Amino acid sequence: MQNLPIKERFAVPVSEVPYERNDWKKGYESQPNEYDYWIEDIEGEIPADLKGTLFRNGPGLLEVNGQRIHHPFDGDGMISAIAFNDGRAHFQNRFVRTEGYLKEQQAGKILYRGVFGTQKPGGWLANAFDVQLKNIANTNIIYWGDKLLALWEAAEPHRLDPKTLETLGKDYLDGVLESGSAFAAHPRIDPCCEQNGGEPVLVNFAIKPGLSTTISIYEFDQAGKLLRSHARSVPGFAFIHDFAITPNYCIFFQNPVSFNPIPFVLGVRGAGECVKFQANKPTLIVVIPRNSQEPVQILETQSGFVFHHANAFEQDGKICIDSICYESFPEVEPNSDFRQVDFDAIAPGQLWRFTLDLTEQSVQRQLLENRCCEFPFVHPKHAGRPYRYLFMGAAHRESGNAPLQAILKLDVTTGEEQLWSAAPQGFISEPIFIPRPNASQEDDGWVLTLVYNAGYHRSDVVILDGRDLNQGPVARLHLKHHIPYGLHGSWTPNVF
Ligand code: CO
């Protein structure tokens, strides 16, 4: 079983595939327009006590004036904001006016190379030795310290006006970052940090790659003021997109990949296409104490690739970390079209629990969910703590790799599951769980997700009841247009 090629182990007969490729592909059409309106076309009812703003980020343009970008990760960041108040909802979207977006829109052509293989026209000669990348601000969006920040991991955040989504410029977090500094797109919020008097703290990191990798850790209070920062060096190249926290640790997976920059510098490949998976090497788990006086520990586990972690917690002297793990890195090929991807040739992401014993320096791993899944989300008060319920995007079918069409709720203590699927023509985005005010149960709240529906080529904001996904949406808010498949977002109780 273990040695069969991915295609034979996970493939699903074509007749049973619950979606049409052409439907799925349409969700990658650009959305060049910017809207601002009250949502009127609603099925069901918006819960009266759902109050706040859902912010989403993701590539809004998949081309520049008809010149296609090579990979969606290279698309210009577009922010959507859906504000809920008194049973009503308002929609707004704006592109982040990055320097690159403005210059390319003005020129009407691609001027920058993308990390994931987008090249300027003119072949390798036009691209050789141009290592300047565009800060595309397309990965996540957070509201913290009275600032709305669009994040892209390789450079500084862009600040936006939360009411109008107007771009205010690059933000250096009150002098914490320098020009061009990296700042990851996956901050974590410690809901009650002991070192901050039990108040919430935003923890984030920045990667400086090289022969050895520097990982900087930053912790900010609710006003956005830096509380602590420290930088640690780990051996080797690291491609790290996300991390997990517990009250005492930051945990990183150093996936077994190598980086050969020569084809990138010579202009024949994007930087992301120079990352090669090393199946014969272990994944390294880097455990960095949040207390800067304590040493870093590095543990080994079986080879695999992780983009996203669901959660981590400390229990019985051990650290548990739940992560979506792929058997290998889905490499980006230079002469391929992502719309033609062979899902069966790529291993699905699956949820694993890694249990770290720092005393014994050992790692145990256990499969928690076999179904293809991504974009895990837990109750915000349980971040870094023991938890029971996990919400994730998932494939419609139990086996095989496929686009995300369903929202899966997993009880990690019993293995019990609930599922709501938007198949055959619906394709979901990251689910965000919002606790109901004064709720006492961990799953008492709403799950919000954007669903692209190929049947009418528009997107819906879908609201599910976290206690029972099986019953289907509480409300479905039909937007007047589609939103291309996005990446990450967040919720704030502030109504903008
Ligand atoms: Co991510």
Side-chain angles (χ1 to χ4, degrees), residues 179-388:
S179 178
S181 291
F183 193 65
H186 275 285
R188 296 276 174 181
I189 296 171
D190 180 342
C192 66
C193 174
E194 251 177 57
Q195 288 165 284
N196 192 33
E199 291 297 308
V201 159
L202 183 115
V203 189
N204 201 11
F205 68 97
I207 296 287
K208 198 171 173 193
L211 292 176
S212 70
T213 300
T214 305
I215 305 177
S216 299
I217 312 264
Y218 304 97
E219 302 205 13
F220 300 89
D221 70 8
Q222 278 179 294
K225 189 174 140 276
L226 184 71
L227 294 169
R228 295 171 277 285
S229 73
H230 48 116
R232 306 297 188 105
S233 180
V234 297
F237 172 76
F239 177 17
I240 298 173
H241 173 67
D242 189 13
F243 77 139
I245 59 166
T246 68
N248 294 299
Y249 301 100
C250 295
I251 304 133
F252 298 84
F253 275 39
Q254 190 177 4
N255 301 298
V257 292
S258 66
F259 181 68
N260 171 12
I262 293 167
F264 171 65
V265 174
L266 291 179
V268 291
R269 280 177 172 236
E273 293 167 329
C274 300
V275 174
K276 285 281 159 224
F277 189 72
Q278 313 260 288
N280 54 346
K281 292 207 174 139
T283 288
L284 302 179
I285 302 179
V286 179
V287 181
I288 301 183
R290 287 171 64 183
N291 176 343
S292 61
Q293 308 302 314
E294 293 171 22
V296 175
Q297 299 197 52
I298 299 178
L299 284 72
E300 280 188 13
T301 186
Q302 206 170 322
S303 173
F305 194 92
V306 170
F307 283 107
H308 295 126
H309 302 288
N311 202 14
F313 55 93
E314 296 168 34
Q315 201 169 48
D316 307 326
K318 293 178 180 160
I319 302 172
C320 291
I321 174 160
D322 296 345
S323 313
I324 310 279
C325 192
Y326 297 80
E327 267 194 10
S328 71
F329 173 62
E331 287 171 15
V332 183
E333 293 298 329
N335 296 314
S336 63
D337 179 352
F338 69 87
R339 293 167 183 84
Q340 303 304 334
V341 61
D342 179 1
F343 282 99
D344 291 336
I346 302 170
Q350 292 167 312
L351 182 74
W352 290 79
R353 171 161 294 178
F354 298 84
T355 305
L356 321 184
D357 186 327
L358 296 184
T359 319
E360 304 268 322
Q361 293 279 300
S362 66
V363 180
Q364 304 280 337
R365 61 172 216 162
Q366 178 199 354
L367 184 66
L368 294 187
E369 177 56 59
N370 182 61
R371 190 188 293 257
C372 168
C373 52
E374 249 304 348
F375 295 133
F377 203 92
V378 300
H379 188 302
K381 284 259 153 57
H382 289 265
R385 273 110 189 128
Y387 74 110
R388 183 163 176 188

